[in-house]
Amino acid sequence: MTIQTRSKLTAQLADIEDLLVRFKDKCASDVRATGLAATGDKGAQEGLARGRKAEDRLRSSIESSCLDVLLLQQPLIGDDMRFVTGAFRIVSDLSHIDGMTRDASFLVTEVPEKATSKFGAEFAEMADVTAKMVEKATDAFCGSDTEAARQVIADDAAVNLIYDDVTSKLVRQIRDGKSSARYLPEVLMVAKYFERIGDLAKRIASWAIFRVTGEHVTEKGIDPIPTED
């Protein structure tokens, strides 16, 4: 690879990283907004509804940039290949996360505020924890930080515990004959969206580990992915 070609590739990779950071910032902001929307914040709900076009633009830009590098900058080896292939997968995870924030916000509009307000503390905590996970996981990928990535994977346990707390609380409402318990499926689904966002953040973290080690960490352990060095 000539110096000129390498210089162009370096610029392209920097552009992809910049777009990933922008997408990460949007997703984390939307996750936090979902925590507000879940307890009746109309401004947050409206802001999330308007965010689809920005998500589409960022996803399209990152995917196009990754494809350009894969098609035009050959041969890619080592960290360059792992970065581009990882980024291509991460953009899908970030897109799913952003879509879930809108889905959760819309679901809240179908539920009386009285029903969701009982879970305000849990939703706020889930939003804060998962937003931080999204930020930390993406930053770990961009910074090749496996320690931070593994911390994100560990942090998912906290999200699961809060989800279990919400489930237990809803069961108690049913047993007590509370009228708001009729909205159990909707309220539980909002909590489930946060739990899934945590899972996706954990998956992003696994790509951060892959970038450094060439090994993809899954629920079943380490799944080696062959790469050229």
Side-chain angles (χ1 to χ4, degrees), residues 40-207:
D41 188 314
K42 303 300 182 184
Q45 292 171 6
E46 292 170 3
L48 286 164
R50 293 193 300 267
R52 178 61 184 270
K53 289 184 178 179
E55 178 213 328
D56 288 343
R57 285 195 299 270
L58 283 165
R59 177 171 185 165
S60 178
S61 295
I62 295 170
E63 289 178 339
S64 295
S65 296
C66 288
L67 286 172
D68 284 346
V69 172
L70 289 171
L71 293 173
L72 302 177
Q73 295 286 359
Q74 292 294 340
L76 283 180
I77 60 175
D79 181 69
D80 293 341
M81 174 61 82
R82 292 192 293 269
F83 174 80
V84 175
T85 55
F88 199 82
R89 298 299 295 270
I90 286 172
V91 70
S92 177
D93 293 331
L94 289 173
S95 184
H96 283 314
I97 289 170
D98 214 51
M100 284 180 181
T101 65
R102 289 190 297 276
D103 291 342
S105 177
F106 174 78
L107 191 59
V108 167
T109 65
E110 305 296 303
V111 181
E113 187 174 339
K114 180 181 178 181
T116 56
S117 64
K118 298 177 185 297
F119 300 88
E122 289 86 353
F123 288 154
E125 186 175 3
M126 292 183 92
D128 182 59
V129 173
T130 53
K132 288 177 179 175
M133 287 175 67
V134 171
E135 290 170 333
K136 189 185 294 184
T138 309
D139 288 344
F141 176 78
C142 293
S144 299
D145 189 341
T146 58
E147 182 177 348
R150 294 186 189 280
Q151 183 59 56
V152 172
I153 294 172
D155 288 344
D156 189 53
V159 181
N160 293 336
L161 283 175
I162 304 170
Y163 176 74
D164 290 342
D165 287 344
V166 171
T167 302
S168 299
K169 196 171 179 178
L170 282 166
V171 169
R172 288 196 298 272
Q173 286 191 12
I174 294 173
R175 289 175 177 169
D176 294 342
K178 298 291 181 62
S179 61
S180 57
R182 75 181 68 176
Y183 300 103
L184 165 65
E186 290 85 355
V187 175
L188 187 61
M189 194 62 196
V190 172
K192 187 63 177 178
Y193 276 124
F194 283 119
E195 191 265 343
R196 285 290 296 124
I197 288 170
D199 287 343
L200 288 166
K202 186 168 62 172
R203 191 154 72 182
I204 292 171
S206 76
W207 288 110

